[in-house]
Amino acid sequence: MKRREDGGSPAIDLFRLAAAILVTAIHTSPLAALTPIGEFFLTSVLARLAVPFFFMTSGFFTVTRYARDRRALWAFEKRTALMYLLATLLYLPVNIRNGYFSRPGLAWELIRDILFDGTFYHLWYLPAAALGAAIAWALIRKTDYPCAFAVTGALGLVCLFGDSWFGAAPQAAGPFYSAVFRVMDRTRGGVFMAPLYFVLGAALRDTKRRPSRRVSAWGFMVTLVLMTGEALTVAALGWARYYTVYLTLPACSFFLFALLLTVRGGRVRWARSAALALYIVHPLAIIAVRAAARALGLWGTLVDNSAVHFLAVCALSAAASFPAAAIFERLRPKRAPSSTGRAWRELDIPALEYNVRALGALMPPDCSLMAVVKANAYGHGDFEVSRELDRLGVRAWAVATVDEGAALRSFGVHGQILVLGYTPPERAWELRRHRLTQTVISEEYAKRLDSAGVKLRVHLKLDTGMHRLGVPWDDIQAAAGVFALKRLRVTGVYTHLSCSELRDGNSREETLKQDRRFRAALRGLEERGLAVPPCHIQSTYGFLNYPELSRGFIRAGLGIYGVLSSPDESTTLSPDLRPVLSVRARVALVRSVPEGEGVGYGGPFRTPGARRIAILPVGYADGVPRTLSGGTGYVLLHGRKAPVVGAVCMDQMAVDVTDIPEAAPGDAATLMGRDGEETLSAPTVAALAGTITNELLSRLGARLPTVLHD
Ligand SMILES: *Cc1c(COP(=O)(O)O)cnc(C)c1O
């Protein structure tokens, strides 16, 4: 298993350098003197993939449907603005020499240049990237991909008809383009070209179904041929104002990017700064090579020979930019590799996918999964879990509170979110604002919710024997009353089983009784002429032990996390679910404690002999139950059991490693999960701690950082 940072690929990083060199080729025409058609292919077709590739790369790493906040976008905007400022200063002397500041209408020109055309020829890329990222982000987060593609695709067409298809632009668009060209020289700048590529990059990051290497390779080759044909055609028809974009360019860029993504491996971080630096300085290198050629009387060799000129510019650009990039990479604060420095949780993403598929395979066809992600997704991390499940296609969610629902919505998940618990009616507007579905827990509650004055979707909960929340099953009058309320729309009816964990005679009888009562209530509603919406009755155990009771949704929590309530349980259906979560902590120090000493807070514990004790920097504030104290629980270290010594403290605990001589500071101890041949499962830890898996998991501290495994 590999640690996943951001899903990138070394090929993406390295291709940035190639792309920067392709841009240099556009500005030096390396094959001009050798083969005109080769030159056309290189600089008017192939090299045109470079800028879209840069945009897609930034989109891939910055823009996403799923985000906790806007931090990634802001960081990108700040970095781009800083680069723009530095590059502008770098080219200031050249601009001054060219008489930039003595032109008429300078103020207007300045605004145009800063926003759209770039403060120097090629620098248009930077403001376009800043705008493109912001537009793509807003569209994807606020409206989702179909709309984002439609809008940015339309902008892309505006760019196309102002560029290589200019001659084919509809007559009616004439005034529009005159207006556009008053604000910018070319339609590649500003809002027209970049957003589409940012959306494409983001889509490739967010999807679970990227094209395979084969499909990408074929797609790339075919679209490249098509693009060459298109370029030749617009040239022959005399349409082209420029050769920057083509109708086939988005598809060709997409397949190229997808193809590069199929190369797995570690990131090559220096390449990204080096490529950007190369891009920024290459025009300076062109100026320098020309100046040197003039000074040395080598114009014929260094400039007229276009291939040598190109190579000289590349060499000089690299010589100037690579050391700068190396210094920049050194100065840059290293992204802390410390998420595994103290204590952390690990999520096995393939296990999560497997569990969802395994449960799905057992469900009847008209039944779907409602993923229960309350309590920080049972301590697994609600953001990470809901993002992965949404990418897998889960479209129904259950949470306990309105705040959990709002958080889930802000992460970018699709579909309905059901709040299982009580929400104060005065917060009804928040339910509405975040498009949450509220559970109706009693008739009186429904009336109060209705009088809050906002239209809401609700699921009606019926109490069939649990006697916790819900309208009594035999009070059809009350249940029907909820349907009659003006502002509440009942989009589901459900109940909760109280004994479905067990299969003994009494539990079975109780469960079947609840089901009978539920059906009787539904019949009662139907007899009153009400259209009964989708119903649900089972949680994980209800489904695994009583699959014949399945209805519209299975509300599964434990099942998707791949654990049961207690160890060695058997269920009627027993898909071999895989645990998703591991919890680990680093050994902070190992010490020898002589016989008869205490360890930790002054309890009765005394070492029975000389012991070696390892201190783990994790405690009950992280969710390690205090009831594991004093030898009740253990952790795994080097694949062996190390019993807990003394009391588990808030932030520390001690384990006995006398029999694990190789234990040393920095070792990863497993508090839950697999270590070598040994597994310490969540149900086992829960049983040792005298509780059930749900309680153990849901109390896992928010203090633990999360590491994902692909
Ligand atoms: C928590 C909860 C579930 C999920 O139960 P699991 O046993 O984790 O599958 C289902 N329904 C309701 C009403 C719940 O509160």
Side-chain angles (χ1 to χ4, degrees):
M1 265 199 279
K2 218 175 294 125
R3 172 99 57 85
R4 189 176 67 171
E5 288 179 37
D6 41 26
S9 137
I12 296 285
D13 293 334
L14 291 173
F15 193 82
R16 295 190 214 218
L17 286 172
I21 289 170
L22 285 174
V23 174
T24 310
I26 294 177
H27 297 143
T28 52
S29 312
L31 303 179
L34 304 170
T35 144
I37 185 71
E39 170 66 22
F40 182 80
F41 175 72
L42 176 64
T43 59
S44 296
V45 182
L46 196 60
R48 300 304 164 165
L49 288 161
V51 166
F53 172 80
F54 283 138
F55 286 148
M56 280 188 75
T57 309
S58 298
F60 183 88
F61 289 114
T62 308
V63 181
T64 172
R65 164 86 194 161
Y66 309 105
R68 254 189 244 277
D69 50 42
R70 290 197 203 107
R71 246 184 302 182
L73 178 69
W74 279 122
F76 177 79
E77 298 292 352
K78 273 197 284 194
R79 209 165 52 230
T80 308
L82 181 67
M83 281 296 156
Y84 194 26
L85 181 68
L86 292 177
T88 301
L89 293 177
L90 187 65
Y91 281 92
L92 197 57
V94 185
N95 275 334
I96 291 173
R97 204 196 60 179
N98 291 348
Y100 183 92
F101 293 98
S102 48
R103 287 175 305 163
L106 180 64
W108 172 237
E109 290 281 327
L110 262 179
I111 295 172
R112 270 178 57 142
D113 285 354
I114 289 172
L115 287 180
F116 302 120
D117 295 333
T119 48
F120 194 77
Y121 182 69
H122 64 313
L123 298 182
W124 67 272
Y125 168 81
L126 292 165
L131 277 170
I135 291 169
W137 180 283
L139 284 170
I140 293 169
R141 298 268 307 160
K142 296 270 181 274
T143 72
D144 214 350
Y145 278 104
C147 179
F149 272 118
V151 173
T152 59
L155 292 173
L157 283 178
V158 172
C159 177
L160 181 74
F161 280 111
D163 196 280
S164 68
W165 282 43
F166 188 62
Q171 204 82 62
F176 170 75
Y177 277 107
S178 329
V180 168
F181 291 131
R182 260 200 294 282
V183 216
M184 58 181 79
D185 284 344
R186 301 170 57 163
T187 48
R188 69 181 180 184
V191 302
F192 297 121
M193 176 180 176
L196 174 61
Y197 296 99
F198 273 85
V199 174
L200 278 171
L204 272 173
R205 161 160 163 184
D206 282 345
T207 183
K208 278 264 181 223
R209 284 176 303 172
R210 288 182 193 161
S212 67
R213 180 173 295 187
R214 238 179 102 86
V215 169
S216 309
W218 276 105
F220 175 60
M221 282 188 293
V222 168
T223 49
L224 187 61
V225 169
L226 289 176
M227 197 161 88
T228 310
E230 183 186 345
L232 291 169
T233 308
V234 294
L237 294 174
W239 285 356
R241 194 165 183 261
Y242 299 102
Y243 295 90
T244 315
V245 291
Y246 299 103
L247 189 60
T248 42
L249 184 58
C252 195
S253 312
F254 174 84
F255 285 120
L256 170 64
F257 202 95
L259 181 63
L260 294 170
L261 272 180
T262 62
V263 180
R264 302 299 303 243
R267 300 288 312 279
V268 191
R269 292 195 178 277
W270 64 269
R272 76 176 195 192
S273 322
L276 184 59
L278 195 74
Y279 180 87
I280 288 177
V281 305
H282 80 272
L284 270 186
I286 296 178
I287 295 169
V289 167
R290 286 171 179 243
R294 200 173 292 117
L296 300 171
L298 290 174
W299 193 267
T301 336
L302 270 183
V303 179
D304 286 344
N305 186 332
S306 59
V308 173
H309 182 223
F310 165 71
L311 292 176
V313 169
C314 285
L316 188 60
S317 307
S321 58
F322 287 11
I327 293 170
F328 178 74
E329 280 298 315
R330 278 210 162 202
L331 293 181
R332 208 176 147 80
K334 291 276 168 290
R335 188 94 52 76
S338 66
S339 41
T340 60
R342 179 187 72 94
W344 67 98
R345 71 189 124 209
E346 291 173 17
L347 298 188
D348 181 348
I349 299 301
L352 186 66
E353 293 187 24
Y354 174 87
N355 296 338
V356 167
R357 297 224 159 88
L359 291 171
L362 294 171
M363 287 179 198
D366 52 351
C367 175
S368 54
L369 176 75
M370 181 182 282
V372 183
V373 291
K374 61 193 179 188
N376 198 20
Y378 291 43
H380 288 59
D382 51 2
F383 174 66
E384 289 82 2
V385 167
S386 61
R387 173 181 63 189
E388 298 305 322
L389 294 181
D390 190 90
R391 290 171 68 197
L392 276 179
V394 169
R395 290 294 176 267
W397 312 87
V399 293
T401 70
V402 61
D403 291 316
E404 288 179 346
L408 211 58
R409 200 52 97 198
S410 78
F411 298 155
V413 302
H414 300 78
Q416 79 162 311
I417 301 175
L418 174 63
V419 179
L420 297 168
Y422 170 78
T423 300
E426 56 272 25
R427 296 186 68 182
W429 64 274
E430 288 176 73
L431 294 167
R432 166 103 199 141
R433 177 166 155 209
H434 301 293
R435 287 172 288 122
L436 308 178
T437 305
Q438 173 60 42
T439 294
V440 164
I441 58 171
S442 70
E443 186 192 14
E444 181 262 354
Y445 177 74
K447 286 180 180 154
R448 283 202 291 146
L449 208 54
D450 185 63
S451 52
V454 288
K455 285 195 172 172
L456 290 177
R457 284 166 190 254
V458 296
H459 279 200
L460 169 62
K461 187 165 190 180
L462 297 175
D463 174 22
T464 54
M466 180 102 168
H467 301 314
R468 212 171 52 175
L469 304 177
V471 176
W473 68 278
D474 50 358
D475 191 350
I476 301 296
Q477 178 101 27
V482 174
F483 282 79
L485 290 170
K486 256 207 326 278
R487 298 187 193 86
L488 303 191
R489 203 169 119 216
V490 183
T491 57
V493 180
Y494 75 103
T495 191
H496 196 44
L497 300 172
S498 59
C499 298
S500 63
E501 299 205 12
L502 301 170
R503 292 184 295 168
D504 60 276
N506 284 343
S507 305
R508 178 163 198 92
E509 211 166 286
E510 179 63 27
T511 302
L512 296 183
K513 184 178 79 190
Q514 283 193 276
D515 181 58
R516 267 197 314 277
R517 289 173 166 184
F518 190 54
R519 280 186 286 129
L522 296 178
R523 249 193 332 273
L525 291 171
E526 271 161 10
E527 278 161 9
R528 293 181 175 232
L530 295 167
V532 175
C535 301
H536 41 115
I537 181 165
Q538 295 150 312
S539 58
T540 300
Y541 275 105
F543 176 55
L544 294 181
N545 280 334
Y546 301 92
E548 67 278 9
L549 305 183
S550 294
R551 291 175 173 272
F553 290 109
I554 310 289
R555 303 185 302 267
L558 284 172
I560 57 181
Y561 308 112
V563 285
L564 294 177
S565 281
S566 34
D568 312 319
E569 261 177 327
S570 72
T571 44
T572 308
L573 295 177
S574 42
D576 96 86
L577 299 172
R578 301 177 184 170
V580 172
L581 181 76
S582 305
V583 177
R584 301 189 211 276
R586 295 262 173 232
V587 172
L589 68 84
V590 177
R591 66 189 332 144
S592 300
V593 180
E595 183 178 347
E597 290 291 314
V599 174
Y601 287 111
F605 175 78
R606 289 285 172 262
T607 44
R611 311 306 287 172
R612 280 180 83 236
I613 303 290
I615 306 297
L616 305 177
V618 62
Y620 56 76
D622 296 293
V624 180
R626 203 166 164 278
T627 45
L628 293 176
S629 297
T632 312
Y634 62 93
V635 306
L636 300 176
L637 204 52
H638 293 280
R640 272 165 288 159
K641 296 178 183 177
V644 177
V645 181
V648 173
C649 313
M650 190 184 283
D651 321 299
Q652 321 286 342
M653 61 191 280
V655 295
D656 189 331
V657 294
T658 313
D659 298 331
I660 311 175
E662 64 270 48
D667 288 351
T670 300
L671 289 98
M672 199 185 296
R674 229 184 126 78
D675 179 11
E677 296 295 292
E678 278 284 345
T679 299
L680 179 50
S681 72
T684 305
V685 178
L688 291 172
T691 180
I692 56 168
T693 309
N694 281 21
E695 186 187 0
L696 173 74
L697 293 179
S698 63
R699 287 169 161 240
L700 276 179
R703 205 162 76 170
L704 296 175
T706 305
V707 171
L708 304 183
H709 288 300
D710 260 334

